[in-house]
Amino acid sequence: MDHDAMDLAEARYELVISVDARRSGEYDDVDKQRMRERIYRVLEAAFTHAKVARDAVHMEDRGDGVLLSVAGRIAVTRLLGLWMVEVHENLRDENRGLSVPLGLRVGMHVGPVRHDGRGISGRAVDLACRLADSPLARRLLDAERADLVLVTSQSLYEDVVSSGGKFIEPAHYSSARLELKEGEVTAWFHLPGRPAPEIPTAAPAAPDADRADDVDGVDDAPDVDDVRRVDAEDRADAPRAHYTVHGDMSQHSDNVYQQPVHIGRITGDAGRRKG
């Protein structure tokens, strides 16, 4: 029996970790190389301090990030807890004195992973990459001026994070709905060392520069479309309106005015002062 062929055909349940650098498209060639060196120093030192054996970790270079999978024999709690703490602390050390701090987005999910001579594949890999590359992860990293944002899948949060553990604080995670290419999913967002982040309700801004910086055609998280907050405001019976506008527009409701109010532009003779 060809055990190698059988092994390639079988999926292994592993923790998949996608790591992306913030705004990598804004680095020049020299600085990008330094950025990549920092990322590897941060991750590898964290594995060492968390006592995760190197033969338990698969690493693929993604140009502006790293794709990893960790063998099932390593407790996921160690990666979500001690390893993430070490990643955060190592990243803070690397950023001391830098005029442009390195920011990392980390997506995590556990699921079936297939290995071959070129790397890893599977829906678990796709989901971890999409979580790290989601518009909301990008926005939180910028809005909170953070070094690191962690995004976990719903199943990973329910199965591991929600039970807590050493360095794992479920109360410091916030959930949001993400519209991905495959459909809508729930994700959980965490800023290490901080309380649960406030999830913005507005639509995401235009894509960042690093979205156009995919390396060598690597399609690690395409077509992430929209974000919605999961809370009482997102009711099915909430009033909704859709407009097509050519020119200026404003919408007003439930306002009380104490004096005459003009809303909109004044054009023509009406806009000229008399006297």
Side-chain angles (χ1 to χ4, degrees), residues 20-74:
D20 282 339
R22 169 175 50 198
R23 300 184 184 278
S24 61
E26 297 180 5
Y27 290 87
D28 62 27
D29 288 350
V30 174
D31 286 337
K32 183 165 292 187
Q33 180 63 35
R34 293 170 179 160
M35 173 200 76
R36 286 162 47 80
E37 292 170 355
R38 292 187 183 103
I39 292 175
Y40 278 96
R41 280 199 300 268
V42 165
L43 300 179
E44 291 172 349
F47 281 122
T48 298
H49 286 100
K51 294 182 170 55
V52 177
R54 293 308 306 274
D55 64 356
V57 180
H58 168 84
M59 301 181 72
E60 288 183 29
D61 184 77
R62 290 297 179 102
D64 57 353
V66 184
L67 177 63
L68 309 102
S69 65
V70 183
R73 71 177 189 268
I74 304 298

